[in-house]
Amino acid sequence: TLGKKLFRVLENEPIINAINTLEHNTEDYPDAGFWVAVIKTLYYTGMRRRQLAALQVGDISLERDSITLSYRGSKTHREWTIPIHQQLKPVLVDLLNQLRFRLGRPLKATDPLFNFVFVGKPYKPDPLRPNALQPKTISDFFKRFHKRTGIHLSAHRFRHTFATNLCNPEEGNPDILVVQQMLGHTTLSTTKEYVHTRPERMAQAIKVLSLE
């Protein structure tokens, strides 16, 4: 992947700017907390937008620190489990608490986690799943946010960013097989399309060259 442009990879700055913009403009974004949770979940998991929209309360295990990505949102109709990053865990706990409050009842395992009760117009719920978001809702929000702020985010860019960050660690060697399993790819060649070599890693690599 050397030589590829990093246009699909997000740096931390625009992500942090997006979160700050949402959190400090709650009058303009009354559902800011929900969208911050969406952003952080995409960043820390690399899941597809359809997987995020398909997540149910029962897919989250805070005891085992794991998320089950079910066949419901899988492009390959497979199911696998990924770990919950410790910085994501309090976000999910808060989301569950907020959902319980919004619904006014104990949560069911089948309740959509990223629930339509958090948003309203101009979005529409999934006609086939009560209170579930349509994957398109996530894309529509990012498009509106980009038009308003100039910050370009997308679920697909988060997947590229996730894979690239894991394969460009500051210390140690990357394990692309782990990334393949986390992203749910059936072939390693597909995963390689998501991984971009960062310039700083190339700079580190050429330090072994010497004519002295």
Side-chain angles (χ1 to χ4, degrees):
T1 58
L2 292 180
K4 281 194 175 182
K5 293 183 179 180
L6 299 185
F7 69 97
R8 292 183 177 177
V9 178
L10 291 163
E11 300 298 330
N12 282 351
E13 183 178 0
I15 301 172
I16 293 172
N17 286 345
I19 292 171
N20 288 337
T21 298
L22 287 166
E23 291 181 336
H24 292 93
N25 293 277
T26 52
E27 290 187 3
D28 294 330
Y29 301 101
D31 47 5
F34 173 77
W35 290 112
V36 168
V38 169
I39 288 170
K40 290 185 176 181
T41 301
L42 292 173
Y43 175 80
Y44 285 114
T45 67
M47 68 176 67
R48 297 181 177 92
R49 62 174 189 162
R50 72 174 71 179
Q51 290 173 317
L52 186 143
L55 278 180
Q56 296 180 346
V57 169
D59 295 328
I60 308 298
S61 175
L62 298 176
E63 295 76 19
R64 295 192 300 271
D65 286 335
S66 66
I67 300 173
T68 298
L69 298 178
S70 78
Y71 66 90
R72 295 185 304 274
S74 173
K75 191 175 180 179
T76 55
H77 305 292
R78 295 164 53 245
E79 183 170 287
W80 67 96
T81 300
I82 62 174
I84 297 176
H85 192 285
Q86 286 307 298
Q87 292 184 31
L88 178 61
K89 188 170 184 177
V91 176
L92 296 177
V93 170
D94 185 62
L95 189 66
L96 288 165
N97 289 335
Q98 289 292 326
L99 181 58
R100 189 179 296 109
F101 175 77
R102 292 287 189 102
L103 293 176
R105 59 167 173 77
L107 297 178
K108 301 175 183 177
T110 55
D111 283 328
L113 179 63
F114 289 89
N115 206 293
F116 191 76
V117 297
F118 289 109
V119 298
K121 293 182 179 180
Y123 309 114
K124 297 180 181 178
D126 190 324
L128 301 178
R129 296 186 301 134
N131 277 357
L133 289 183
Q134 298 185 61
K136 183 177 180 293
T137 298
I138 300 168
S139 299
D140 286 347
F141 169 77
F142 284 143
K143 288 176 183 177
R144 287 186 172 91
F145 188 73
H146 177 223
K147 187 175 181 179
R148 191 166 190 172
T149 66
I151 302 174
H152 184 197
L153 306 177
S154 73
H156 201 63
R157 293 189 81 190
F158 276 112
R159 272 176 77 77
H160 279 265
T161 302
F162 179 84
T164 296
N165 286 345
L166 292 191
C167 283
N168 286 266
E170 292 184 6
E171 297 181 4
N173 295 317
D175 189 341
I176 196 170
L177 295 179
V178 168
V179 179
Q180 178 188 0
Q181 186 168 350
M182 292 276 286
L183 293 181
H185 291 153
T186 55
T187 65
L188 192 59
S189 60
T190 301
T191 306
K192 289 179 179 179
E193 291 298 314
Y194 282 77
V195 177
H196 306 263
T197 303
R198 291 191 177 276
E200 54 268 28
R201 193 162 182 86
M202 289 188 278
Q204 182 65 29
I206 65 171
K207 289 182 179 180
V208 301
L209 301 175
S210 175
L211 292 175
E212 297 179 359

